[in-house]
């Protein structure tokens, strides 16, 4: 399928850069997209278009901005299967997961559409007599939005929809690996009636296009999701120009299995959390911490379930795990398997390429046992289907292990004990906590994001996600007939 290129000021344009060819990670003989990338000149044109459109867009009443999102929801609902299929071909996750992602993105559009009726400030009592005091929320300006390949539809939805309803215009750079899925959102918003220039997409190299968007003085608000090295540099550059910035980055999410856990359910949680989307979720379960008393039985069940997983092309409804996204990610995964072996860790499942699964980037779901905080597999994000298992004897030890990494995105515990579950939700150092379910997932109306080196800036999604794109103005109206003004404040 050809790609139309970038979308600037209401028009699809052919980029002036080199032609990029993306293949299906489950079938390397299938070219999914072939398109000319954009260069800095196109990024500058996109920023100029967003700057020019902003005064008009911010003047559109928020409920009307929300209604455009509502129309986008209706259009997107008619395209769920088509977008999900494209997503599977472009990124590799299995069709059921792709469909789930498409629906989640639509929910974000839906939620943000409704926020058009609720965008507002607070009315508060003033210290002064005959004085009205209240706040309003105003859009910040042009938003620069940069997204990763692992959620190529829903991540753009959960950033772009709040920016638009808040009244910001947008310059958006999708990941180079997955521009086709992202472009469906542009098509849908265009069809829903979004005026030209309000949303612009530039497809091209992160270093060139990304840097141009980040460093340009017009992009007053920046939202990034991706890796820590890129995110921390972006945060630094955003800070230099005093932009408002949010960065959501990596994770090393722990799942604790207590001695009173339902082991079958915990195994299913680890399989879904660790190997769903081939482990390529920021919230993926990547560390499993198991109580000594149940470890032997738990690992027996886990290894059996892991080795039974059917790998293959995600379009086949019987496939349970797809490929990893590309050769670079596969190399990273394989290098961590080597690192773990060299550190003396015990390989209890997988560890090799799954060549029989097809002509793609297939890796066996892999588990290492005997991992402790000194090991790189305990501390570093792999972003692939490679799990690290550690052992503990008390709840306190489990929490110390769970919190013993620099990341802090999500975490999970399996237990039947109400007290243990409740204590865990308080003690875990993470932006999200799950009980008796894996560490993955988020919902449009709930804040999403992490602590520690995972996230800086405001939370995404929910009301906070919309408020991020606004700034507060405090207003005082003195309606005293005498003109009296309290000196108190
Ligand atoms: P990445 O390499 O950091 O890329 C993310 C985006 O940044 C891509 O669009 C990339 O463009 C762009 N980029 C690259 N260099 C840039 C630069 N110098 N300036 C500005 N932008 C630049 O991350 P990824 O491999 O796509 O995604 C995987 C990472 O995302 C993992 O670490 C995962 O944990 C994280 N993630 C976090 C969350 C969360 O909410 N916490 C959610 C999903 C994923 P190109 O594609 O053109 O290189």
């Amino acid at each position: 399928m050809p790609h139309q290129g970038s979308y600037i000021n209401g028009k699809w344009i052919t980029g002036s850069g080199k032609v990029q060819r993306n293949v299906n990670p489950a079938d390397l003989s299938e070219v999914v997209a072939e398109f000319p990338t954009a260069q800095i000149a196109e990024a500058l044109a996109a920023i100029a278009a967003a700057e020019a459109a902003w005064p008009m867009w911010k003047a559109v009443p928020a409920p009307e901005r929300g209604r455009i999102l509502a129309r986008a929801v209706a259009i997107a609902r008619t395209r769920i299967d088509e977008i999900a299929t494209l997503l599977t071909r472009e990124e590799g996750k299995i069709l059921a997961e792709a469909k789930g992602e498409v629906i989640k993105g639509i929910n974000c559009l839906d939620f943000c559409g409704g926020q058009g009726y609720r965008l507002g400030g607070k009315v508060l009592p003033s210290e002064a007599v005959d004085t009205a005091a209240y706040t309003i929320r105003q859009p910040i300006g042009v938003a620069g939005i940069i997204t990763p390949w692992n959620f190529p539809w829903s991540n753009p939805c959960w950033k772009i929809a709040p920016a638009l309803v808040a009244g910001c215009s947008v310059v958006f750079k999708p990941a180079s690996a997955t521009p086709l899925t992202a472009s469906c959102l542009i098509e849908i918003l265009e069809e829903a009636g979004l005026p030209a220039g309000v949303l612009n997409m530039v497809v091209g190299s992160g270093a060139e296009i990304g840097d141009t968007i980040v460093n340009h003085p017009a992009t007053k608000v920046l939202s990034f999701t991706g890796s820590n090295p890129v995110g921390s540099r972006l945060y630094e550059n955003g800070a230099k120009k005093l932009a408002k910035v949010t960065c959501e980055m990596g994770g090393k999410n722990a799942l604790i299995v207590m001695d009173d856990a339902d082991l079958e359910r915990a195994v299913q949680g680890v399989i879904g959390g660790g190997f769903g989307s081939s482990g390529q979720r920021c919230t993926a379960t990547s560390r499993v911490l198991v109580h000594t008393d149940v470890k032997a039985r738990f690992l027996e069940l886990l290894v059996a379930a892991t080795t039974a997983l059917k790998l293959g092309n995600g379009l086949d409804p019987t496939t349970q795990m797809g490929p990893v996204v590309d050769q670079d990610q596969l190399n990273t995964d394989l290098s961590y398997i080597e690192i773990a072996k060299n550190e003396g860790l015990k390989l209890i499942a997988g560890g090799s390429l799954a060549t029989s699964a097809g002509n793609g980037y297939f890796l066996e779901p892999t588990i290492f046992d005997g991992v402790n905080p000194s090991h790189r597999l305990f501390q570093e994000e792999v972003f692939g289907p490679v799990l690290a298992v550690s052992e503990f004897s008390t709840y306190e030890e489990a929490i110390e292990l769970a919190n013993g990494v620099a990341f802090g995105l999500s975490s999970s515990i399996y237990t039947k004990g109400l007290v243990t579950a409740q204590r865990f939700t308080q003690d875990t150092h993470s932006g999200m906590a799950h009980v008796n379910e894996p560490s993955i997932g988020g919902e449009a109306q709930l804040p999403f994001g992490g602590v520690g080196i995972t996230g800086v800036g405001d939370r995404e999604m929910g009301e906070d996600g919309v408020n991020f794109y606004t700034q507060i103005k405090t207003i005082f109206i003195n309606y005293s007939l005498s003109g009296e003004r309290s000196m108190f404040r």
Side-chain angles (χ1 to χ4, degrees):
M1 181 192 277
H3 183 254
Q4 293 152 300
S6 298
Y7 181 79
I8 299 173
N9 206 15
K11 289 194 177 63
W12 290 98
I13 62 121
T14 302
S16 59
K18 69 177 172 50
V19 171
Q20 184 167 321
R21 207 161 179 249
N22 287 357
V23 295
N24 180 341
D27 177 2
L28 307 188
S29 67
E30 185 196 351
V31 176
V32 180
E34 194 162 47
F35 54 93
T37 52
Q39 291 187 297
I40 290 174
E42 284 102 346
L44 292 174
I47 295 167
E51 258 190 300
W54 184 52
M56 170 278 296
W57 183 240
K58 73 173 176 180
V60 173
E64 182 52 31
R65 296 196 295 256
R67 276 191 283 276
I68 293 179
L69 295 181
R71 285 199 288 278
V73 170
I75 298 164
R77 285 197 177 126
T78 67
R79 294 183 57 180
I80 292 173
D81 288 336
E82 173 219 334
I83 300 168
T85 304
L86 179 57
L87 203 166
T88 293
R89 288 173 56 228
E90 193 174 41
E91 195 266 356
K93 68 182 66 168
I94 63 171
L95 198 53
E97 289 170 333
K99 226 170 180 171
E101 178 180 341
V102 176
I103 290 166
K104 179 179 171 179
I106 293 173
N107 291 348
C108 292
L109 294 168
D110 198 22
F111 174 80
C112 289
Q115 286 304 100
Y117 287 106
R118 288 184 281 271
L119 197 70
K122 283 184 181 160
V123 178
L124 293 164
S126 169
E127 294 279 5
V129 292
D130 291 345
T131 299
Y134 61 96
T135 63
I136 57 170
R137 287 194 172 272
Q138 293 185 304
I140 295 177
V142 177
I145 291 179
I146 299 179
T147 58
W149 48 262
N150 69 323
F151 283 104
W153 160 266
S154 65
N155 194 262
C157 285
W158 87 57
K159 289 178 186 293
I160 291 171
L164 293 178
V165 80
C168 288
S169 55
V170 174
V171 183
F172 163 47
K173 195 205 101 56
S176 296
T178 51
L180 273 188
T181 312
S183 67
C184 294
L185 179 59
I186 309 291
E187 288 165 10
I188 288 167
L189 284 164
E190 182 184 44
E191 191 182 338
L194 194 68
V198 174
L199 171 61
N200 307 274
M201 179 175 82
V202 192
V203 180
S205 127
E208 271 188 27
I209 307 299
D211 266 4
T212 306
I213 293 172
V214 170
N215 294 326
H216 197 287
T219 50
K220 307 274 188 227
V221 52
L222 299 169
S223 179
F224 168 83
T225 297
S227 64
N228 278 74
V230 175
S232 36
R233 197 166 151 263
L234 186 149
Y235 191 58
E236 204 181 312
N237 287 336
K240 275 188 205 144
K241 61 175 200 180
L242 301 180
K244 192 173 182 187
V245 185
T246 183
C247 293
E248 283 300 337
M249 298 165 285
K252 193 71 200 178
N253 313 293
L255 182 153
I256 299 172
V257 183
M258 294 301 294
D259 51 350
D260 64 349
D262 176 334
L263 293 188
E264 309 261 345
R265 197 166 153 182
V267 165
Q268 285 320 308
V270 174
I271 294 287
F275 301 132
S277 301
S278 306
Q280 300 173 134
R281 287 171 176 250
C282 50
T283 52
T285 299
S286 55
R287 291 181 297 140
V288 185
L289 317 177
V290 197
H291 194 284
T292 313
D293 292 352
V294 295
K295 188 179 167 208
R297 176 69 185 139
F298 174 78
L299 288 188
E300 191 186 324
L301 293 171
L302 180 62
V303 169
T306 301
T307 46
L309 281 174
K310 183 178 175 230
L311 271 63
N313 190 320
L315 293 178
D316 175 347
T318 66
T319 297
Q320 293 168 302
M321 190 179 114
V324 303
V325 73
D326 58 20
Q327 188 65 54
D328 283 352
Q329 187 59 51
L330 186 60
N331 292 344
T332 302
D333 299 344
L334 290 169
S335 76
Y336 272 100
I337 289 172
E338 277 316 298
I339 289 166
K341 285 179 181 168
N342 292 337
E343 285 187 322
L345 299 178
K346 189 173 165 200
L347 180 66
I348 57 171
S352 304
L353 292 174
T355 38
S356 60
N359 174 28
Y361 303 117
F362 292 102
L363 178 65
E364 291 175 347
T366 298
I367 309 176
F368 283 97
D369 188 14
V371 187
N372 69 46
S374 70
H375 294 123
R376 287 183 62 186
L377 200 60
F378 189 95
Q379 299 290 347
E380 297 174 21
E381 183 184 50
V382 179
F383 216 55
V386 184
L387 275 179
V389 177
S390 310
E391 186 174 339
F392 67 86
S393 312
T394 63
Y395 168 79
E396 287 69 25
E397 250 178 74
I399 283 294
E400 198 180 325
L401 285 170
N403 293 347
V405 296
F407 296 103
L409 183 53
S410 186
S411 59
S412 162
I413 194 167
Y414 279 75
T415 178
K416 293 195 189 105
L418 175 64
V419 172
T420 309
Q422 186 62 32
R423 282 177 68 198
F424 166 76
T425 62
Q426 301 298 309
D427 296 341
T428 179
H429 183 66
S430 56
M432 295 172 286
H434 298 259
V435 175
N436 292 326
E437 58 173 39
S439 55
I440 54 175
E443 297 184 22
Q445 74 283 13
L446 290 162
F448 183 95
V451 299
I453 65 165
T454 291
V456 282
D458 291 7
R459 284 285 182 274
E460 300 202 88
M461 297 212 264
E463 200 182 340
D464 301 275
V466 178
N467 287 345
F468 169 70
Y469 292 97
T470 67
Q471 51 203 355
I472 292 177
K473 184 177 281 174
T474 306
I475 296 171
F476 300 92
I477 299 179
N478 183 326
Y479 53 88
S480 105
L481 292 175
S482 64
E484 182 190 346
R485 187 177 181 278
S486 165
M487 296 311 287
F488 182 71
R489 60 189 167 91

